Each structure stands twice: as structure tokens, then as C-alpha cells.
Amino acid sequence: MDTELDRISSLPGHVLDQILSVLPIRDAVRTSALSRKWRYQWSQIPQLVFDTQCASITSPDQTIVKHYLVNIIDNVLLLHNGPIYKFKLSHRDLLGVSDIDRWILHLSRGSTKEFVLEIWKGQRYKLPSCLFSFENLTHLELFNCLLKPPSAFKGFRNLKSLDLQHVTLAQEVFENLISSCALLERLTLMNFDGFTHLKINAPNLQFFDIGGIFDDVSFNNTSLLTLVSIGLYANVKNDRHVSRGSSSKLLRFFVNLPHLRRLEIQSYFIKYLAISKVPSRLPKPCMDLNYISIRINFNDFEENSAALCILKSCPNLQEIEMLGRPEEQADVEPQTGFWGDDQWKCLFGQLRLVKIVGISGIRSELDCIKFLLSNSPVLEQMTVKPASIEGGWELVKELLRFRRASTQAEVIYLEP
């Protein structure tokens, strides 16, 4: 054992640091008991992660849990010697205690590049102003926090990745935060409040993932954006009388996304895109888009019109996923005529994979399937998975009747 230990101890310092960095902080600190050389080796690791693995304590008294965790973090920061490039605090039993302010102040004097703070219990934790002075920050991840930057804040000039979940910030703060981070490449927003208009101005943004309740979304100066996943968690109504004079949401959404490659339209966002007039096709086709996923109520005329417009505007699609919302179709009289006849010949010259999930076998769903099969000459596989087993055999018989533009197309029926 001593021979093996000596062999590890003789490794270069940067290799030892790498070994220690993948260990939970609790185990990394314990290596100080191995030998004299290892005594302070852990104190130089550049990544500090304080999560449930670092300290496991169960007590009904929250005060005991707090003191235990705070004592661990205080001691590690006190004994740490060297730069801290990554700091993550994500312990399930830690509330937004004032001690976090001290730790953030300590880190603000160094060269931290990645900062992750997840408060799993209690109310929103108000971030101290010193967080906004991190000059070298490249990745920021916050959960259950309140952001209120000082008036002198000019943005994180090196920030490339921003992940905000269950956060509160004002409309102006959100807009300034996004527009002032010129190098931002990845943006994730989930379950936020304090702002409802998503104005995205980010010249280097490549990835955008959002899920929440909002009134509007618009993109400006986002020509590099290639991956978008967007979910609107609240149902919206398309009042034709109100929206008749307003600009098309569908046109506004796509106008500044010229190089979109992957698009996921989740929850009720297709209903949002259907507000106001929906054109037959987009003015400019989405030539780079090769994957699309749409969650849709197949019995809603506006939603189907918007989905059809998008699909007809994406000639280079390779994969399509259509996810039904059957729970909304039960109380609505079935409608037809959404997907037209065979007037659109071979729209999808590169489409190879189609997934249809959560359908109930109504005519509009079958029309969509028929439309995709008849317009995809190189289709290889279509999988169909209904929402329930009711009417499954009738659905199978309908699928077998449809003409397929591709002689190689395989239609697979999956049990729900």
C-alpha cells in the first residue's frame, strides 16, 4: 500500500490537483491525512463544490444544519491557498443565509470564472452587490435568487454562459443584463418573475433555452443563434378581433433567426406563435433548420396553421417530432382540413425520421401523418405512439392505408 501511495505522491502537482478536483470536497480534504506531502495539497484545488456529497447531516433543527454547513465552508475557504476558478454551492438543506454574502465577497477579490449558487429552500436569496464585480466570470448559474445589480453595473464582460432558474429581476434589469454581456453564448431561463417581455439582444448567443410565463419574446442582433428551446407555461387565447391589426408573432419570432438549426416549441408556445395572421409560408425559408419539435393541439385551427407554415418553410428538415396535447381535444368538436391535400409535393427532401406522440386518432392528427408521409421521399422511419390504448387497432389500420412517398419508409406503432 505504501508503494502504491508513494507512486501516486510522485506524480506532478498539476496531476494531483486534477485527481483531487474530481473528488467530493469532503474526500479531498481527507487526503491531508495520507502523508506530509498530501497535508495541504487539497488546499490548492481550483474548484470548490459544496453540495449534498460534501456534508450529509439530518436534523429537524435547521439551526444545527446551518451551523454545520457554514462551519465546513468557512474552514475550507480559510485554509484554501490559491486561486478559486469554480465555486458551487448547492446543498439541499441550506437556506439563503447571510453567510453567503461573506463567501461571495471573499470570491469577488479573486479570479473566479464559474459561480453556481442554488438555494433549494426558503424565499428568494437577494444577491449582494459584490457579485456583480466578478470581472473574470465566464459562467453564472443561479437558482431561487433575487437579482438587483448596483446602478454602476456595466455587465459581465467575459460571461459566456448564463443559467437563471426560479429567479426574480425587474424588466429593465433583465434587458440590461443580457445586452451588456457581449460574449454571451448560452442563455437558460426557467420559472422567472418580475419581467414578462423577453427582449434578447446578444450578438454571440448560440443556445437559448427558456420555460416560463411571459407576454412576448423578440430577438435582435442574434444572427449566430442556432439552438432554441422555448416553452410557454400558460395557455393564451388568440382573439381574432384583438389581434387582427397586430403584427404576426410568427413573423417576428423568425425574422432575426437566420441560422437556426434546432427548434423545440414546447407547452403552449405554438399557440402564441399563432396570434394574429399566419402566412402560408415565412418570407425567408429556414434553410439551416434540420430538427424541429412541436407540442400542439391538433384540434386547434390556429395552432395547426402555424405549425404547417413553419414546416413548409423548412425544406432541409431531417427530423420532426410532433407532440399532441390530447387533454385539450376532448371537449372540442373534431375539425378537419388543417393539412390540405396533396398540393405540396415532396416538401421534405431530406427528412428521415418522424415521431408522432400523444395522439388520439382524430382526423386532424391522421391528416398530419398523411401529409408527412406523402411529402418525404427519403423518409426512413416514422414512429407513432398514441396517448392511450383506446382505438389503437383502428389507428393502425388507418396508418397502413396512407401512401408513402418513400419506398423505404417504416411506420412503427408503439404501445402507450
Side-chain angles (χ1 to χ4, degrees), residues 370-390:
K370 181 180 179 181
F371 166 78
L372 293 173
L373 285 173
S374 62
N375 283 282
S376 309
V378 297
L379 185 67
E380 297 173 0
Q381 185 182 96
M382 172 185 283
T383 58
V384 178
K385 185 177 182 180
S388 67
I389 60 174
E390 184 178 352

Side-chain angles (χ1 to χ4, degrees), residues 199-370:
K199 297 180 180 180
I200 310 300
N201 185 346
N204 285 290
L205 193 64
Q206 301 173 27
F207 173 92
F208 180 50
D209 185 10
I210 175 177
I213 299 175
F214 52 90
D215 293 332
D216 195 25
V217 57
S218 61
F219 299 94
N220 182 36
N221 196 17
T222 52
S223 60
L224 298 182
L225 190 54
T226 57
L227 286 84
V228 173
S229 177
I230 183 164
L232 176 59
Y233 293 167
N235 201 345
V236 293
K237 292 183 178 180
N238 188 353
D239 191 327
R240 298 183 184 181
H241 299 289
V242 174
S243 61
R244 186 173 297 168
S246 60
S247 60
S248 170
K249 301 288 188 183
L250 194 60
L251 296 179
R252 286 186 57 209
F253 179 78
F254 283 96
V255 68
N256 289 315
L257 300 175
H259 300 298
L260 197 60
R261 295 179 57 191
R262 183 182 178 95
L263 175 62
E264 298 177 5
I265 298 174
Q266 303 179 13
S267 302
Y268 296 99
F269 191 64
I270 190 67
K271 186 178 286 290
Y272 164 88
L273 292 177
I275 293 177
S276 192
K277 185 178 180 181
V278 175
S280 174
R281 293 177 187 246
L282 297 175
K284 292 184 178 180
C286 302
M287 301 302 294
D288 296 335
L289 195 65
N290 56 50
Y291 172 90
I292 190 167
S293 175
I294 302 175
R295 186 167 290 279
I296 183 174
N297 176 2
F298 279 102
N299 224 23
D300 185 286
F301 182 83
E302 284 81 13
E303 289 190 38
N304 281 264
S305 298
L308 182 58
C309 169
I310 296 171
L311 292 179
K312 289 192 298 184
S313 304
C314 305
N316 296 319
L317 283 170
Q318 297 177 20
E319 184 175 350
I320 294 175
E321 182 180 53
M322 303 293 287
L323 308 171
R325 297 203 308 269
E327 69 279 0
E328 296 180 69
Q329 298 169 183
D331 300 327
V332 180
E333 183 179 347
Q335 302 184 47
T336 60
F338 294 136
W339 297 91
D341 299 318
D342 294 331
Q343 55 178 319
W344 308 102
K345 294 293 183 180
C346 300
L347 279 173
F348 311 112
Q350 298 185 43
L351 185 62
R352 286 172 168 78
L353 183 62
V354 173
K355 296 179 182 178
I356 310 289
V357 181
I359 62 173
S360 55
I362 62 174
R363 177 47 53 185
S364 55
E365 296 168 340
L366 297 175
D367 288 345
C368 176
I369 294 174
K370 181 180 179 181

Side-chain angles (χ1 to χ4, degrees), residues 25-27 30 50-59 61-76 89 91 93-95 97 99 102-103:
I25 190 67
R26 176 181 57 187
D27 296 335
R30 285 174 175 173
F50 300 97
D51 54 15
T52 308
Q53 283 186 304
C54 86
S56 179
I57 179 173
T58 56
S59 173
D61 190 342
Q62 187 62 39
T63 303
I64 295 177
V65 175
K66 171 196 168 184
H67 286 314
Y68 181 74
L69 295 173
V70 168
N71 186 57
I72 290 176
I73 299 173
D74 276 342
N75 278 285
V76 169
L89 177 55
H91 198 287
D93 295 319
L94 183 63
L95 295 167
V97 295
D99 300 271
R102 294 190 293 104
W103 303 330

Side-chain angles (χ1 to χ4, degrees), residues 96-158:
V97 295
S98 59
D99 300 271
I100 298 176
D101 290 9
R102 294 190 293 104
W103 303 330
I104 294 178
L105 178 61
H106 174 78
L107 294 169
S108 68
R109 297 166 180 161
S111 52
T112 302
K113 295 181 179 180
E114 297 183 39
F115 182 81
V116 180
L117 178 60
E118 296 176 332
I119 306 298
W120 295 99
K121 290 185 176 181
Q123 60 186 9
R124 295 276 200 268
Y125 166 68
K126 184 179 179 181
L127 293 163
S129 59
C130 56
L131 173 71
F132 301 95
S133 64
F134 282 41
E135 296 183 355
N136 300 299
L137 207 59
T138 60
H139 175 80
L140 177 61
E141 192 171 335
L142 302 172
F143 186 97
N144 194 23
C145 293
L146 169 63
L147 289 79
K148 193 174 182 180
S151 57
F153 177 63
K154 302 299 181 183
F156 297 109
R157 61 184 181 182
N158 294 306

